[in-house]
Amino acid sequence: MKWVPKHLDRLFEALLEHLYLVFSSVGIALVISLIVGIWAARRPRSFAAIVIFTGILFAVPSLALFALLIPIMGIGAAPAITGLAAYSLMILIRNIGMGFQAIPRDILEAADGMGYGTARRIWEVELPLAMPYIVGGLRIAMVTVIGIATVAAYINAGGLGVIIFEGIDQRFPEKIIAGGLLTSFLALFADYCFASFEKLLRRRSGGKVA
Amino acid sequence: MIVIDAFSWIFNNSGTFFNAFNRHLLMCVLSLGIAFVIAVPLGFVVARSPRASFVVVNIAGALRSIPSLAILSATMPFLGIGLLPSVIALIVLAVPPLLLNTIIGIREIDASVIDAADGMGMSAGQMLWEIELPLAVPAILSGVRTSAIQVIGGAALASFIGGGGLGDFINAGIAIMNMPRLLVGAVPIALLAIFAELAFGALERLFTQRR
């Protein structure tokens, strides 16, 4: 432990870059998947097709996905965020769709009977009920993307992966372990936070939708 | 067209390409096989005791939070570079999903089935081979699928620690900004992973239906 105490600012900077990658990609993915997920939830056949298609895409390894984006987008943060957003999309669309499908029919009919329009029903009734599923999806997406984002450093996107790659190039185990452990702690922390939030939401919804 | 260039590169350098391809497959099959031999029996042993499975599930969960890049590079200081550290790292990647799924598979077996088998006077060995193992197969296969995908992706990163494989082409492609070379590595890796996903998914459905 000689390098870490002297380079805390460097590690902090990498951590911020990492968070930027994670939040921007998951954020973009969340907006898109709310639209697609809500649209597809009422269309079982489209939803099944989307689930199969995203499952296949999800299998593509990160390094290969980034490499496939390079001819189109070059290197840097843009292809990295696109690739990371693609992984989150697959997780989020599936979870959001499942959350909306889990809402009991009679609740929807009651809302319709009370004269709610589609937009108001989605915003005031369905979205709050589907919230635990959405947060559950965000949790998986965050943990997955935090790990994969280390590889994004290889295509010049910055983040904690930079420290690991420097460690590999310089044969410097302390850097590898510092970068790896910091990333793992970040993932475990995100997992813990979102799990607590999910539990809180489920308790609030009275276990009606779960 | 870079795709055509990539194909012609493979055609002209088929020896180099298949060396890397075989190396990639060798890493995947070897590590997946060893992980299977470690994780599935361990899962069976541990699943019977709630305390032991609690410990194992948490350790496996924590292991899964470590990025694959970190696991691969972390073996380098201990084992140097090459095939051995890569395979060991890939085993570490493959064990948690297999272990977790095996434990889930056994736990989900209906207690009444076990009671019935017990009442029929089955021995522990008979119960294992004739009841528990067949019933846990779909869950185990789901673990194999997750592990296989982890390992195929991890093997792409093995190139960074001198493990060879298809990742070498991606590495070279980025280093000299040669797009066709990039695709020579990326497309087969992606196809390999998609194939594993579909093949193990089909196997899983087959065994689930049989039940």
Side-chain angles (χ1 to χ4, degrees), chain A residues 164-179:
Chain A
I164 301 178
F165 277 113
E166 282 174 7
I168 296 175
D169 288 340
Q170 303 162 358
R171 296 293 178 89
F172 195 177
E174 196 183 332
K175 275 189 172 182
I176 297 173
I177 290 162

PDB file of all heavy atoms in Angstrom, chain A residues 164-179:
ATOM      1  N   ILE A 164      -7.060   0.008 -13.538  1.00  0.00           N
ATOM      2  CA  ILE A 164      -6.776  -1.426 -13.720  1.00  0.00           C
ATOM      3  C   ILE A 164      -5.869  -1.633 -14.932  1.00  0.00           C
ATOM      4  O   ILE A 164      -4.879  -2.365 -14.869  1.00  0.00           O
ATOM      5  CB  ILE A 164      -8.089  -2.224 -13.893  1.00  0.00           C
ATOM      6  CG1 ILE A 164      -8.998  -2.041 -12.658  1.00  0.00           C
ATOM      7  CG2 ILE A 164      -7.786  -3.704 -14.118  1.00  0.00           C
ATOM      8  CD1 ILE A 164     -10.333  -2.760 -12.767  1.00  0.00           C
ATOM      9  N   PHE A 165      -6.187  -0.957 -16.044  1.00  0.00           N
ATOM     10  CA  PHE A 165      -5.372  -1.136 -17.251  1.00  0.00           C
ATOM     11  C   PHE A 165      -3.950  -0.624 -17.035  1.00  0.00           C
ATOM     12  O   PHE A 165      -2.990  -1.237 -17.518  1.00  0.00           O
ATOM     13  CB  PHE A 165      -6.022  -0.437 -18.442  1.00  0.00           C
ATOM     14  CG  PHE A 165      -7.092  -1.269 -19.095  1.00  0.00           C
ATOM     15  CD1 PHE A 165      -8.424  -0.885 -19.049  1.00  0.00           C
ATOM     16  CD2 PHE A 165      -6.782  -2.459 -19.747  1.00  0.00           C
ATOM     17  CE1 PHE A 165      -9.416  -1.653 -19.631  1.00  0.00           C
ATOM     18  CE2 PHE A 165      -7.765  -3.233 -20.335  1.00  0.00           C
ATOM     19  CZ  PHE A 165      -9.091  -2.836 -20.279  1.00  0.00           C
ATOM     20  N   GLU A 166      -3.805   0.491 -16.302  1.00  0.00           N
ATOM     21  CA  GLU A 166      -2.458   0.974 -15.995  1.00  0.00           C
ATOM     22  C   GLU A 166      -1.696  -0.072 -15.193  1.00  0.00           C
ATOM     23  O   GLU A 166      -0.518  -0.328 -15.434  1.00  0.00           O
ATOM     24  CB  GLU A 166      -2.535   2.276 -15.187  1.00  0.00           C
ATOM     25  CG  GLU A 166      -2.837   3.503 -16.027  1.00  0.00           C
ATOM     26  CD  GLU A 166      -3.043   4.761 -15.191  1.00  0.00           C
ATOM     27  OE1 GLU A 166      -2.819   4.707 -13.954  1.00  0.00           O
ATOM     28  OE2 GLU A 166      -3.442   5.772 -15.771  1.00  0.00           O
ATOM     29  N   GLY A 167      -2.420  -0.692 -14.241  1.00  0.00           N
ATOM     30  CA  GLY A 167      -1.810  -1.735 -13.437  1.00  0.00           C
ATOM     31  C   GLY A 167      -1.329  -2.912 -14.277  1.00  0.00           C
ATOM     32  O   GLY A 167      -0.260  -3.473 -14.036  1.00  0.00           O
ATOM     33  N   ILE A 168      -2.144  -3.280 -15.291  1.00  0.00           N
ATOM     34  CA  ILE A 168      -1.748  -4.388 -16.163  1.00  0.00           C
ATOM     35  C   ILE A 168      -0.509  -3.997 -16.966  1.00  0.00           C
ATOM     36  O   ILE A 168       0.464  -4.747 -17.030  1.00  0.00           O
ATOM     37  CB  ILE A 168      -2.898  -4.765 -17.134  1.00  0.00           C
ATOM     38  CG1 ILE A 168      -4.108  -5.292 -16.361  1.00  0.00           C
ATOM     39  CG2 ILE A 168      -2.426  -5.807 -18.137  1.00  0.00           C
ATOM     40  CD1 ILE A 168      -5.321  -5.579 -17.237  1.00  0.00           C
ATOM     41  N   ASP A 169      -0.516  -2.790 -17.546  1.00  0.00           N
ATOM     42  CA  ASP A 169       0.593  -2.353 -18.394  1.00  0.00           C
ATOM     43  C   ASP A 169       1.885  -2.215 -17.608  1.00  0.00           C
ATOM     44  O   ASP A 169       2.955  -2.520 -18.104  1.00  0.00           O
ATOM     45  CB  ASP A 169       0.248  -1.015 -19.055  1.00  0.00           C
ATOM     46  CG  ASP A 169      -0.798  -1.190 -20.138  1.00  0.00           C
ATOM     47  OD1 ASP A 169      -0.951  -2.339 -20.612  1.00  0.00           O
ATOM     48  OD2 ASP A 169      -1.471  -0.202 -20.492  1.00  0.00           O
ATOM     49  N   GLN A 170       1.775  -1.708 -16.363  1.00  0.00           N
ATOM     50  CA  GLN A 170       2.987  -1.448 -15.581  1.00  0.00           C
ATOM     51  C   GLN A 170       3.349  -2.615 -14.666  1.00  0.00           C
ATOM     52  O   GLN A 170       4.278  -2.488 -13.879  1.00  0.00           O
ATOM     53  CB  GLN A 170       2.790  -0.184 -14.732  1.00  0.00           C
ATOM     54  CG  GLN A 170       2.440   1.053 -15.545  1.00  0.00           C
ATOM     55  CD  GLN A 170       1.819   2.166 -14.696  1.00  0.00           C
ATOM     56  OE1 GLN A 170       1.609   2.006 -13.491  1.00  0.00           O
ATOM     57  NE2 GLN A 170       1.507   3.284 -15.329  1.00  0.00           N
ATOM     58  N   ARG A 171       2.610  -3.721 -14.775  1.00  0.00           N
ATOM     59  CA  ARG A 171       2.814  -4.850 -13.857  1.00  0.00           C
ATOM     60  C   ARG A 171       2.808  -4.355 -12.408  1.00  0.00           C
ATOM     61  O   ARG A 171       3.770  -4.538 -11.665  1.00  0.00           O
ATOM     62  CB  ARG A 171       4.152  -5.549 -14.142  1.00  0.00           C
ATOM     63  CG  ARG A 171       4.232  -6.172 -15.481  1.00  0.00           C
ATOM     64  CD  ARG A 171       3.254  -7.321 -15.553  1.00  0.00           C
ATOM     65  NE  ARG A 171       3.261  -7.912 -16.846  1.00  0.00           N
ATOM     66  CZ  ARG A 171       4.066  -8.905 -17.211  1.00  0.00           C
ATOM     67  NH1 ARG A 171       4.909  -9.406 -16.361  1.00  0.00           N
ATOM     68  NH2 ARG A 171       3.995  -9.396 -18.422  1.00  0.00           N
ATOM     69  N   PHE A 172       1.745  -3.668 -12.045  1.00  0.00           N
ATOM     70  CA  PHE A 172       1.675  -2.992 -10.748  1.00  0.00           C
ATOM     71  C   PHE A 172       0.415  -3.498 -10.032  1.00  0.00           C
ATOM     72  O   PHE A 172      -0.659  -2.937 -10.174  1.00  0.00           O
ATOM     73  CB  PHE A 172       1.611  -1.482 -11.005  1.00  0.00           C
ATOM     74  CG  PHE A 172       1.881  -0.636  -9.799  1.00  0.00           C
ATOM     75  CD1 PHE A 172       1.918   0.746  -9.918  1.00  0.00           C
ATOM     76  CD2 PHE A 172       2.101  -1.194  -8.547  1.00  0.00           C
ATOM     77  CE1 PHE A 172       2.169   1.549  -8.826  1.00  0.00           C
ATOM     78  CE2 PHE A 172       2.351  -0.408  -7.449  1.00  0.00           C
ATOM     79  CZ  PHE A 172       2.388   0.968  -7.591  1.00  0.00           C
ATOM     80  N   PRO A 173       0.548  -4.591  -9.256  1.00  0.00           N
ATOM     81  CA  PRO A 173      -0.626  -5.244  -8.657  1.00  0.00           C
ATOM     82  C   PRO A 173      -1.472  -4.301  -7.814  1.00  0.00           C
ATOM     83  O   PRO A 173      -2.694  -4.416  -7.811  1.00  0.00           O
ATOM     84  CB  PRO A 173      -0.026  -6.332  -7.769  1.00  0.00           C
ATOM     85  CG  PRO A 173       1.329  -6.565  -8.294  1.00  0.00           C
ATOM     86  CD  PRO A 173       1.790  -5.287  -8.918  1.00  0.00           C
ATOM     87  N   GLU A 174      -0.832  -3.361  -7.120  1.00  0.00           N
ATOM     88  CA  GLU A 174      -1.605  -2.497  -6.226  1.00  0.00           C
ATOM     89  C   GLU A 174      -2.660  -1.704  -6.985  1.00  0.00           C
ATOM     90  O   GLU A 174      -3.781  -1.527  -6.519  1.00  0.00           O
ATOM     91  CB  GLU A 174      -0.663  -1.545  -5.489  1.00  0.00           C
ATOM     92  CG  GLU A 174      -1.341  -0.904  -4.296  1.00  0.00           C
ATOM     93  CD  GLU A 174      -0.441   0.095  -3.595  1.00  0.00           C
ATOM     94  OE1 GLU A 174       0.781  -0.048  -3.648  1.00  0.00           O
ATOM     95  OE2 GLU A 174      -0.992   1.038  -2.998  1.00  0.00           O
ATOM     96  N   LYS A 175      -2.301  -1.237  -8.189  1.00  0.00           N
ATOM     97  CA  LYS A 175      -3.256  -0.480  -8.988  1.00  0.00           C
ATOM     98  C   LYS A 175      -4.399  -1.374  -9.444  1.00  0.00           C
ATOM     99  O   LYS A 175      -5.569  -0.964  -9.419  1.00  0.00           O
ATOM    100  CB  LYS A 175      -2.552   0.112 -10.215  1.00  0.00           C
ATOM    101  CG  LYS A 175      -1.871   1.407  -9.970  1.00  0.00           C
ATOM    102  CD  LYS A 175      -1.421   1.985 -11.306  1.00  0.00           C
ATOM    103  CE  LYS A 175      -0.888   3.377 -11.151  1.00  0.00           C
ATOM    104  NZ  LYS A 175      -0.493   3.930 -12.461  1.00  0.00           N
ATOM    105  N   ILE A 176      -4.076  -2.600  -9.868  1.00  0.00           N
ATOM    106  CA  ILE A 176      -5.119  -3.538 -10.312  1.00  0.00           C
ATOM    107  C   ILE A 176      -6.108  -3.767  -9.184  1.00  0.00           C
ATOM    108  O   ILE A 176      -7.326  -3.676  -9.367  1.00  0.00           O
ATOM    109  CB  ILE A 176      -4.489  -4.886 -10.739  1.00  0.00           C
ATOM    110  CG1 ILE A 176      -3.569  -4.699 -11.942  1.00  0.00           C
ATOM    111  CG2 ILE A 176      -5.578  -5.903 -11.041  1.00  0.00           C
ATOM    112  CD1 ILE A 176      -2.799  -5.942 -12.318  1.00  0.00           C
ATOM    113  N   ILE A 177      -5.564  -4.033  -7.993  1.00  0.00           N
ATOM    114  CA  ILE A 177      -6.432  -4.378  -6.866  1.00  0.00           C
ATOM    115  C   ILE A 177      -7.218  -3.153  -6.398  1.00  0.00           C
ATOM    116  O   ILE A 177      -8.414  -3.254  -6.111  1.00  0.00           O
ATOM    117  CB  ILE A 177      -5.594  -5.009  -5.737  1.00  0.00           C
ATOM    118  CG1 ILE A 177      -5.119  -6.392  -6.204  1.00  0.00           C
ATOM    119  CG2 ILE A 177      -6.390  -5.149  -4.454  1.00  0.00           C
ATOM    120  CD1 ILE A 177      -3.971  -6.973  -5.442  1.00  0.00           C
ATOM    121  N   ALA A 178      -6.549  -1.983  -6.374  1.00  0.00           N
ATOM    122  CA  ALA A 178      -7.254  -0.763  -5.959  1.00  0.00           C
ATOM    123  C   ALA A 178      -8.426  -0.475  -6.897  1.00  0.00           C
ATOM    124  O   ALA A 178      -9.558  -0.226  -6.454  1.00  0.00           O
ATOM    125  CB  ALA A 178      -6.290   0.421  -5.936  1.00  0.00           C
ATOM    126  N   GLY A 179      -8.172  -0.529  -8.206  1.00  0.00           N
ATOM    127  CA  GLY A 179      -9.229  -0.261  -9.183  1.00  0.00           C
ATOM    128  C   GLY A 179     -10.346  -1.278  -9.095  1.00  0.00           C
ATOM    129  O   GLY A 179     -11.529  -0.931  -9.112  1.00  0.00           O
TER     130      GLY A 179
END
